[in-house]
Amino acid sequence: MMKKMTIDDKLGLDIYNTDEHESHIDVDLECKDEAEIMKLVLACPAECYKYVDGQFSFSHLGCLECGTCRVLSHDKIVKSWNHPMGTIGVSFRQG
Amino acid sequence: MSEEKFDVIVVGGGLAGLTAAYELANAGYETLVVERGDYCGAKNMTGGRLYGHSLEKVIPNFAEEAPIERKIVKENIALLNEKGGVQIAYTSPQLGEGSNASYSVLRGKFDQWLAGKAEEAGAMMVTGIRVDKLIEQDGKVVGIDAGGEEMYADVVILADGVNSLLAQQIGMKKEIEPHEVAVGAKEVFKLSEEIINERFGVANGEGAAILCAGDPTDGNLGGGFIYTNKDTVSVGIVTTLSDIGRSQLSVPKMVERFHNHPMVEPYIKGGELVEYSGHLVTEAGWSMIPELYRDGVLVTGDAAAFVINLGYTVRGMDFAIESGRLAAEAVKRAKAVDDYSADTLSYYKKLLEESFVFRDMKKFSAFPAILEEHMIFNELPAFVGDVFNRMMVVNSEPSGDLVVGIANDFCKRFTMAGIADFVGKLMEVR
Ligand SMILES: Cc1cc2nc3c(=O)[nH]c(=O)nc-3n(C[C@H](O)[C@H](O)[C@H](O)COP(=O)(O)OP(=O)(O)OC[C@H]3O[C@@H](n4cnc5c(N)ncnc54)[C@H](O)[C@@H]3O)c2cc1C
Ligand code: SF4
């Protein structure tokens, strides 16, 4: 087995210039549709969406800016989605 | 608010945008590239293989100076089941010859190099700036708005990638649907050059590609890929968004499952993870091509959905480069007559129709439907595993008749209706 790493360990290797306060994604955290929530939990490569003990949460901090959540749930859970402002967000050195 | 006017503004410093900018700057036009990343390539991720033919036309012998990782000389296809799999390797001198050659690349470095070439040719690069809006006047695109700063041009080339919010904003492109795209997640592991040579059986400068179907995505539409770089190995998975929820494995878990698979792990064992990335991959290709031109604007590369995605392999970089080149051709012609109307710019589409971009995309247009059958990702790897087990496993159990056994395995995995449907769709591809 390869060394076990959490998603936070992995994202910690990437370079981020984060805007702690301003999120480029606006999420409806009041949503109660579990099927819809689970889609985002399963699909987000950065695990920005979490659903633990019936508690739905989102953090834009590790976002890889892929657009997956927008495509899966625009007009539903994802109320608005934009690229972060210039220079903000992740920078891939390898890519 | 300042106001500046260029001949051409290119939005997005990826391969499509940079190629267009290089060509136009070389032709002497005042060209501005606006890229939201800190540097070109900062936001871009790919599986790893660039088919060289299209860039060869723009910069002959580019591989001699560009930061390519390795020339791919070994092709592998693997059908993986849960614990093992079958891997078929193919080598041929033809693979690496002239414009047939393909190279593993890492976009963080590669795009910066191409940006440097465009800059040398005279293009102006602005990085770290996000374009927020296209400016339209009387139905014509005349410029861009970036954080309140307005810049004008005769033509705007949209090369802003798969999430082209700008093409959506002016109605050239619809919002993407889940069955039209996949999510890709990739890890890059550092190893030494020698270890990579040894494990993949290649010499310095030479590399391997391994394309995997089956287990990596737990039967979801998609697959896994492994590409050798100079002293790193790229390992990742791609899975269609409409299949999310079909398996209870999350995307990050699929990545883990893939790199721990007994056929994958030996390649990367002991490697140190240096980066983890994610990106959308266009899947529906042909059926999701947006409007390609309007008055004052052209759409190129991923923004135009120029991708062939067969699940286990993706091809979009050579299309991005070719479409960037053809967009530049169309703009040069428009400049010559000083007319940037949709009518004049429609020349771009004509060039695409005559190019390998449309030819190849059309050829594979029925492929997404075949993949939706899931057979390639589920029954087929399982069946091939059954057959090899029957042929290779020797023990003291009664072995029985090989042919009857294989026939039984076959009946267990497939239904006639399923096969008929699959073959039918396969025929449509031709
Ligand atoms: C997992 C995965 C594996 C793949 N494997 C392969 C492969 O092996 N071979 C292959 O040929 N293809 C592959 N592809 C496809 C290939 O990567 C793409 O087709 C290619 O990168 C498209 O290039 P592009 O220039 O059109 O877009 P991009 O490379 O996405 O460039 C778009 C640029 O626009 C910028 N941008 C976007 N919006 C704005 C804005 N508003 N303002 C300013 N800048 C903006 C972005 O920052 C980015 O730099 C793969 C893709 C993925 C995700
Ligand atoms: S854009 Fe991608 S990485 Fe960011 S929150 Fe959405 S799914 Fe996750």
Side-chain angles (χ1 to χ4, degrees), chain A residues 65 82-83, chain B residues 10-18 34-37 39-51 105 107 111 126 129-133 159-166 182-186 211 225 227 236-238 278-282 300-304 306-308 313-321 323:
Chain A
E65 303 167 26
N82 201 347
H83 306 287
Chain B
V10 178
V11 183
L15 295 177
L18 293 171
V34 186
E35 164 59 45
R36 69 186 183 89
Y39 45 87
C40 291
K43 302 289 186 184
N44 304 340
M45 181 267 251
T46 196
R49 177 223 305 264
L50 169 67
Y51 290 96
V105 293
R107 300 287 298 278
D111 291 16
V126 177
I129 298 287
R130 178 187 73 190
V131 176
D132 298 315
K133 279 208 298 273
D160 51 344
V162 56
N163 290 305
S164 178
L165 302 182
L166 296 172
V183 52
K186 172 171 125 171
L211 312 169
F225 57 85
Y227 290 101
I237 61 109
V238 169
H279 206 283
L280 277 187
V281 193
T282 295
T300 61
D302 264 14
F306 294 154
V307 176
I308 296 178
T313 179
V314 181
R315 192 180 145 198
M317 290 191 278
D318 58 332
F319 292 143
I321 291 166
S323 64

Side-chain angles (χ1 to χ4, degrees), chain A residues 1-7 9-11 13-17 24 38-47 64-74 81-95, chain B residues 36 38-39 41-46 106-109 128-130 163 165 168 175-178 181 183 186-187 189 241 244-245 247-252 256 259-260 265 268-269 271 273-280:
Chain A
M1 290 280 270
M2 298 291 292
K3 190 170 103 190
K4 187 113 185 85
M5 289 175 83
T6 65
I7 194 74
D9 294 337
K10 290 186 184 183
L11 297 172
L13 299 169
D14 295 348
I15 301 217
Y16 285 97
N17 176 15
H24 55 290
M38 280 318 289
K39 276 198 272 182
L40 300 182
V41 172
L42 290 173
C44 172
E47 292 182 13
L64 295 164
E65 303 167 26
C66 65
T68 298
C69 55
R70 188 194 78 250
V71 173
L72 278 175
S73 198
H74 55 88
W81 188 101
N82 201 347
H83 306 287
M85 292 277 287
T87 78
I88 300 294
V90 71
S91 285
F92 300 132
R93 285 154 301 159
Q94 313 288 333
Chain B
R36 69 186 183 89
D38 260 345
Y39 45 87
K43 302 289 186 184
N44 304 340
M45 181 267 251
T46 196
L106 291 164
R107 300 287 298 278
K109 304 177 206 170
I129 298 287
R130 178 187 73 190
N163 290 305
L165 302 182
Q168 284 185 18
E175 177 57 283
I176 303 168
E177 294 304 323
V181 285
V183 52
K186 172 171 125 171
E187 296 175 313
F189 291 97
L241 292 193
I244 292 293
S247 154
Q248 283 312 301
L249 273 189
S250 70
V251 166
E256 292 275 310
H259 78 210
N260 283 322
E265 199 241 18
I268 50 172
K269 200 174 177 162
L273 186 66
V274 290
E275 189 168 271
Y276 175 74
S277 54
H279 206 283
L280 277 187

